[in-house]
């Protein structure tokens, strides 16, 4: 596993302007995405997972403002670019060709009056590829997702199941040979067998094509099975970041620990463990609590937690946590 | 504890007729038998489209089944698509409550917490005085964990988080002193960190008021936790209950291939010694263009690795009682090899 950083995000801050004030959806985020790895970003709804990705890709709604930060992309060819300072036109060329994006619920994004072949042609032409031969070859990408081009290409979206549509969308993304693929909640609308098949496909893509992937989900078990590294997001901030073993075997942040313990999983049944809820509710990002944003729900809250936001500390190599329990003050 | 049955469905089916000549039939629910005792929580698990919501709505009298009978409190209320005991049905239907999965659309945005509960109480207890209603509302809010009640009384739904909304919906349900609550995917729209808290609330309610609860979920983990180890679980697939029994039996010794495949394939936080975490699909046949499609009346035959000629030649689907209080719809239930989830040794 090579450990060079492909995307490094520094001090990224984005807010939404709404009538009631500003929503601090992405608040001073530092994150490294490693090449050829799957990085999982987990968080509850409203924790800013999708906002973070939309900020990186700069596909934000009009009321969003990027306040500060850098997103340095080091392409496989060795170029180094700051996505935040690119012109809109250059950024448009990066999306799709360099960073593929599979948004949430994308199985519904296929055009009902076009068959799958037309989807491929349109996707490639839209990104400036008109060469017949290249387009022909791109159909082979369907094989990566376990679909047979000869039987699927002439089909229309309504003839495919939800899981197959999702896989078609992933193969469309792969058709442009991106260096990174960002998947937003790819498993959430799928039944269990389709989920399992998709997890295997993503694992294969990592093995065979060594494509870097960012996987956004609220579903901890999915991340536990697939991700090499995991970032835990809470109320717009990353509270813990480390390898999947760090996060699932020795979680440090009280939120991560409690989150893992709170999920009623089928393994609870066999281990006879009882899931424990986290008291309270996730905070509103309109007026987040002062200091550490988890302090109202944390059993270890001290005076400093309410007063000051803890720094990100590297506790072990590659295992970062943002909590006063581990920081010296 | 009284052991009387609050609800009993006997071979209930619901078919929808579609198309110009009503010739295409959607069999949403097929020959379902289900019952629940007072103060019990039973879970229905199944994927989207398996018919679990339809069963829930039939149970609370919201959907009229095509055939079969529905008994409430040991009285037949619906038989073969008609209401039998109209007076009894009308008197009791509000006490067989159905909770929708989406608390956001279940509440009126122009009503504050107080009014939301007050209209329901006024309707069902017309003789209660205004001050009694006020006390009752405060008690209800306290019960569901919206405390202090005085803080919430004047709040509107948009002030509340998803979890709080779901608690309010549960409070509204409790206001009518229900016999049965059908909780349909009540935790799926709630933040993961507070799902367990909502399930615990339902467990408390069933304990304290002896209310029966049907907990419907696609999330096997949540459904098992809600029913508890000694509870009862129904596994649904394509409108059929394919396996039913005590949670401990169904989980330790599943006798339907679908249940086995379900348990085997659920993503779970498990450590694998080999370092390889992603598992290939287990116990399901994966289609490719050459694979033979098995046509059988069995709902799982097309994916089932055990399917053979016996399954193709089936004329009727019958339950096999594999052990006491444990039913499986698979014709091969007794002949299936012993099985344990492959990942079990890793936990």
């Amino acid at each position: 596993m090579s450990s060079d950083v492909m995307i490094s995000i520094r001090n990224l801050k984005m807010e939404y302007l709404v009538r009631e004030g500003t929503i601090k959806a992405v608040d001073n985020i530092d994150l490294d995405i490693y090449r050829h790895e799957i990085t999982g970003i987990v968080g509850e709804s409203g924790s800013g997972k999708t906002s973070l990705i939309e900020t990186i890709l700069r596909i934000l709604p009009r009321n969003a403002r990027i306040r500060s930060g850098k997103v340095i992309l080091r392409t496989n060819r060795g170029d180094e670019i700051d996505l935040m300072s690119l012109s809109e036109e250059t950024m448009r060329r990066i999306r799709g060709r360099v960073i593929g994006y599979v948004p949430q619920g994308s199985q519904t994004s296929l055009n009902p009056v076009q068959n799958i072949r037309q989807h491929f042609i349109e996707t490639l032409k839209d990104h400036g590829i008109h060469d017949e031969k290249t387009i022909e070859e791109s159909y082979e990408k369907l094989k990566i997702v376990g679909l047979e081009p000869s039987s699927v290409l002439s089909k229309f979206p309504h003839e495919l199941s939800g899981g197959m549509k999702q896989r078609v969308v992933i193969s469309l993304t792969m058709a442009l040979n991106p260096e990174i693929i960002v998947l937003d909640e790819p498993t959430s609308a799928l039944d269990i067998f389709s989920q399992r098949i998709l997890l295997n496909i993503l694992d294969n893509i990592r093995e065979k094509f060594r494509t870097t992937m960012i996987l956004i989900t609220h579903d901890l078990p999915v991340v536990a099975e697939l991700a090499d590294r995991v970032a835990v997001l809470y109320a717009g901030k990353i509270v813990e970041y480390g390898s999947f073993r760090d996060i699932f075997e020795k979680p440090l942040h009280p939120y991560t620990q409690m989150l893992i313990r709170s999920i009623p999983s089928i393994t609870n049944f066999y281990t006879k463990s009882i899931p424990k809820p986290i008291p309270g509710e996730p905070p509103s990002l309109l007026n987040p609590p002062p200091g550490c944003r988890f302090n109202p729900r944390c059993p270890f809250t001290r005076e400093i937690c309410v007063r000051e936001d803890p720094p990100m500390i590297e506790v072990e190599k590659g295992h970062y946590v943002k909590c006063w329990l581990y920081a010296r003050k | 504890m009284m052991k009387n049955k609050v609800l009993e469905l006997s071979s209930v089916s619901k078919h929808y007729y579609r198309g110009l000549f009503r010739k295409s039939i959607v069999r949403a629910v097929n020959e379902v038998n289900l019952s629940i005792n007072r103060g019990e929580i039973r879970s229905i698990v199944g994927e989207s489209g398996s018919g679990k919501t339809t069963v829930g709505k039939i149970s609370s009298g919201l959907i009229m089944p095509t055939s079969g009978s529905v008994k409430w409190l040991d009285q037949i209320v619906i038989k073969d698509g008609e209401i039998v005991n109209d007076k009894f049905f009308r008197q009791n239907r509000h006490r067989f409550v159905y909770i929708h999965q989406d608390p956001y659309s279940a509440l009126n945005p122009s009503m504050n917490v107080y009014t939301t509960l007050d209209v329901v109480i006024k309707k069902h207890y017309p003789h209660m005085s205004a001050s009694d209603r006020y006390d009752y509302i405060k008690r209800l809010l306290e019960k569901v964990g919206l405390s202090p009640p005085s803080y919430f009384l004047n709040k509107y739904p948009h002030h509340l988080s998803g979890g709080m909304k779901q608690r309010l919906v549960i409070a509204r349900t409790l206001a009518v002193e229900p016999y049965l609550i059908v909780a349909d995917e009540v935790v799926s729209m709630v933040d993961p960190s507070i799902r367990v808290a909502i399930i615990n609330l339902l467990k408390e309610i069933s304990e304290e008021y002896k209310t029966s609860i049907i907990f419907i979920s696609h999330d096997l983990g949540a459904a098992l936790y809600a029913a508890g180890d000694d509870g009862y679980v129904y596994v649904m697939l394509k409108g059929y209950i394919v396996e039913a029994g005590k949670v401990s039996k169904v989980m330790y010794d599943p006798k339907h291939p679908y249940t086995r495949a379900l348990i085997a394939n659920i993503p779970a936080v498990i450590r694998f010694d080999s370092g390889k975490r992603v598992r290939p699909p287990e116990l399901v046949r994966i289609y490719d263009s050459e694979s033979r499609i098995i046509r059988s009346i069995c709902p799982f035959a097309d994916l089932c690795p055990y399917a053979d000629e016996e399954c193709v030649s089936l004329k009727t689907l019958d339950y096999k009682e594999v052990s006491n209080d444990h039913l499986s719809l698979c014709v091969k239930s007794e002949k299936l090899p012993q099985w344990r989830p492959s990942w079990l040794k890793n936990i």
Side-chain angles (χ1 to χ4, degrees):
Chain A
M1 202 180 293
S2 74
S3 58
D4 58 332
V5 177
M6 181 148 200
I7 298 182
S8 63
I9 302 167
R10 289 292 173 267
N11 286 325
L12 194 62
K13 203 167 187 173
M14 187 275 289
E15 295 171 343
Y16 295 109
L17 307 181
V18 290
R19 207 170 27 162
E20 293 87 357
T22 54
I23 295 174
K24 299 164 193 73
V26 176
D27 201 355
N28 263 326
I29 280 185
D30 292 341
L31 182 66
D32 289 334
I33 309 288
Y34 287 82
R35 206 182 301 276
H36 310 314
E37 283 189 10
I38 297 182
T39 304
I41 300 180
V42 276
E44 303 179 58
S45 49
S47 61
K49 310 181 287 278
T50 305
S51 297
L52 172 62
I53 290 310
E54 289 181 350
T55 310
I56 295 172
L57 289 169
R58 292 183 34 203
I59 43 173
L60 289 160
R62 263 193 207 168
N63 65 339
R65 298 285 179 278
I66 300 172
R67 294 301 186 197
S68 69
K70 279 187 172 165
V71 177
I72 308 290
L73 169 75
R74 294 185 190 87
T75 62
N76 289 350
R77 283 202 319 233
D79 302 335
E80 209 166 288
I81 4 176
D82 179 11
L83 297 183
M84 294 300 112
S85 60
L86 289 183
S87 71
E88 186 46 44
E89 187 47 41
T90 334
M91 194 62 214
R92 219 178 70 80
R93 267 180 276 141
I94 298 246
R95 288 184 218 118
R97 297 292 287 270
V98 184
I99 309 179
Y101 181 41
V102 183
Q104 185 166 11
S106 54
Q107 54 269 53
T108 54
S109 67
L110 295 175
N111 187 342
V113 294
Q114 283 191 343
N115 65 23
I116 305 305
R117 180 178 283 108
Q118 288 167 307
H119 278 92
F120 271 92
I121 296 171
E122 191 178 275
T123 304
L124 271 83
K125 288 200 168 159
D126 209 47
H127 286 88
I129 301 165
H130 298 274
D131 177 32
E132 293 288 329
K133 202 163 149 278
T134 320
I135 293 175
E136 275 309 303
E137 279 165 9
S138 74
Y139 302 152
E140 293 300 302
K141 295 282 192 250
L142 282 165
K143 285 190 177 151
I144 302 169
V145 296
L147 298 170
E148 191 51 52
S150 56
S151 66
V152 176
L153 277 174
S154 54
K155 288 220 164 84
F156 285 86
H158 71 266
E159 297 175 280
L160 305 172
S161 73
M164 284 159 93
K165 276 188 259 184
Q166 174 90 48
R167 279 141 68 188
V168 167
V169 173
I170 292 174
S171 69
L172 280 170
T173 313
M174 292 290 291
L176 294 163
N177 296 313
E179 296 178 13
I180 315 169
I181 299 182
V182 182
L183 301 123
D184 193 354
E185 299 278 9
T187 56
S188 62
L190 302 180
D191 65 64
I192 284 149
F193 304 133
S194 308
Q195 243 182 52
R196 172 63 52 206
I197 293 168
L198 187 69
L199 291 182
N200 278 282
I201 288 168
L202 296 180
D203 190 42
N204 276 338
I205 293 177
R206 163 176 54 188
E207 298 270 303
K208 288 204 190 103
F209 297 88
R210 319 230 321 132
T211 311
T212 310
M213 277 181 264
I214 302 176
L215 178 71
I216 309 171
T217 180
H218 68 278
D219 202 352
L220 276 180
V222 167
V223 167
E225 289 211 359
L226 208 58
D228 299 296
R229 268 169 228 266
V230 181
V232 182
L233 212 55
Y234 184 77
K237 286 175 185 289
I238 288 176
V239 295
E240 189 164 357
Y241 177 56
S243 73
F244 88 95
R245 274 176 192 276
D246 291 339
I247 300 292
F248 289 101
E249 286 174 20
K250 36 182 189 212
L252 293 174
H253 198 282
Y255 174 66
T256 320
Q257 293 169 349
M258 293 168 86
L259 186 66
I260 293 172
R261 238 181 295 145
S262 76
I263 310 274
S265 155
I266 55 164
T267 51
N268 287 110
F269 178 80
Y270 295 105
T271 55
K272 301 276 171 237
S273 53
I274 294 163
K276 289 195 189 68
I278 305 182
E281 307 250 353
S284 146
L285 294 176
L286 212 49
N287 354 293
C292 168
R293 288 187 177 175
F294 190 57
N295 80 63
R297 302 172 82 188
C298 183
F300 307 106
T301 302
R302 289 176 294 167
E303 182 254 336
I304 190 161
C305 305
V306 186
R307 208 181 52 216
E308 235 179 290
D309 193 27
M312 197 71 154
I313 302 288
E314 186 170 14
V315 178
E316 298 158 277
K317 195 173 182 330
H319 189 178
Y320 296 83
V321 62
K322 189 178 171 65
C323 176
W324 282 119
L325 289 176
Y326 307 94
R328 220 168 290 144
K329 178 84 188 179
Chain B
M1 198 178 97
M2 283 161 75
K3 263 287 179 191
N4 55 346
K5 283 200 172 114
V6 169
L7 169 83
E8 190 172 0
L9 306 182
S10 318
S11 45
V12 162
S13 303
K14 177 71 193 177
H15 297 169
Y16 293 98
Y17 297 88
R18 301 202 316 188
L20 183 56
F21 301 106
R22 317 234 126 215
K23 275 196 178 150
S24 113
I25 305 177
V26 178
R27 295 173 204 275
V29 170
N30 294 299
E31 302 285 322
V32 159
N33 296 305
L34 179 149
S35 67
I36 185 163
N37 298 324
R38 193 158 171 264
E40 215 184 355
I41 301 184
R42 291 194 170 191
S43 291
I44 304 179
V45 280
E47 299 174 54
S48 44
S50 62
K52 46 192 197 313
T53 294
T54 313
V55 169
K57 288 191 173 171
I58 289 172
S59 304
S60 50
L62 293 174
I63 288 181
M64 195 57 71
T66 317
S67 63
S69 68
V70 181
K71 270 188 191 173
W72 283 354
L73 309 168
D74 283 325
Q75 292 230 36
I76 291 194
V77 285
I78 294 166
K79 194 165 170 42
D80 294 332
E82 270 171 50
I83 297 171
V84 178
N85 194 337
D86 195 46
K87 189 161 171 248
F88 182 78
F89 181 73
R90 280 168 191 279
Q91 272 170 1
N92 288 289
R93 64 182 303 176
H94 69 278
R95 295 176 75 173
F96 289 80
V97 202
Y98 178 84
I99 302 182
H100 290 267
Q101 82 173 74
D102 181 4
Y104 294 80
S105 52
L107 294 168
N108 186 332
S110 67
M111 278 189 194
N112 64 15
V113 170
Y114 177 80
T115 324
T116 302
L117 295 172
D118 198 46
V119 279
V120 177
I121 298 169
K122 245 194 224 158
K123 162 91 181 153
H124 293 293
Y125 304 97
H127 302 300
M128 204 184 260
S129 72
S131 70
D132 283 353
R133 286 202 307 268
Y134 185 75
D135 288 343
Y136 189 38
I137 288 170
K138 279 171 101 170
R139 277 209 310 280
L140 284 171
L141 291 177
E142 196 86 56
K143 181 73 239 155
V144 297
L146 292 176
S147 62
S150 49
Y151 172 80
F152 288 100
L153 283 176
N154 294 318
K155 292 272 182 288
Y156 284 84
H158 67 265
H159 293 128
L160 305 176
S161 72
M164 290 175 184
K165 283 194 190 107
Q166 200 58 280
R167 284 172 193 273
L168 177 58
V169 171
I170 293 171
R172 185 171 62 182
T173 312
L174 284 183
V176 298
E177 297 178 342
Y179 293 117
L180 175 75
I181 297 175
V182 178
D184 190 359
E185 298 278 14
V186 284
V187 292
S188 58
M189 304 265 293
V190 170
D191 281 316
S193 68
I194 46 182
R195 277 183 194 168
V196 172
I198 300 279
I199 299 177
N200 285 346
L201 173 63
L202 290 174
K203 286 182 160 210
E204 257 173 60
I205 288 167
S206 103
E207 184 94 343
E208 194 176 330
Y209 302 105
K210 296 280 167 260
T211 309
S212 311
I213 295 174
I214 296 181
F215 187 88
I216 300 178
S217 180
H218 70 279
D219 180 348
L220 192 56
L224 296 177
Y225 177 64
D229 283 7
D230 297 322
Y232 208 85
V233 63
Y234 297 91
V235 182
M236 283 197 77
L237 171 70
K238 294 185 188 166
Y240 291 93
I241 290 182
V242 293
E243 186 159 359
K246 280 253 155 70
V247 167
S248 48
K249 283 184 181 166
V250 173
M251 286 302 284
Y252 275 119
D253 194 13
K255 288 293 190 194
H256 196 283
Y258 174 70
T259 317
R260 292 182 173 192
L262 204 60
I263 297 172
N265 289 300
I266 280 181
V269 183
I270 310 156
R271 182 175 64 240
F272 275 87
D273 305 328
S274 59
K276 183 82 183 162
R277 288 169 295 150
V278 182
R279 301 165 276 147
E282 288 176 60
L283 297 172
V284 282
R285 295 183 337 131
I286 304 300
Y287 283 113
D288 49 58
S289 43
E290 284 93 51
S291 72
R292 179 171 61 105
I293 291 171
I294 292 184
R295 297 209 184 278
S296 162
I297 55 170
C298 169
F300 192 53
D302 54 345
L303 287 174
C304 182
Y306 305 112
D308 61 13
E309 297 311 317
E310 188 184 5
C311 304
V312 177
S313 61
L314 274 181
K315 292 282 178 289
T316 54
L317 282 172
D318 294 308
Y319 286 98
K320 289 239 187 312
E321 188 157 9
V322 284
S323 67
N324 190 25
D325 242 358
H326 184 182
L327 299 170
S328 162
L329 196 58
C330 179
V331 65
K332 298 178 180 302
S333 298
E334 278 126 342
K335 288 173 260 172
L336 292 178
Q338 282 292 316
W339 177 82
R340 304 213 69 189
S342 67
W343 43 265
L344 196 52
K345 61 179 166 38
N346 290 300
I347 50 175

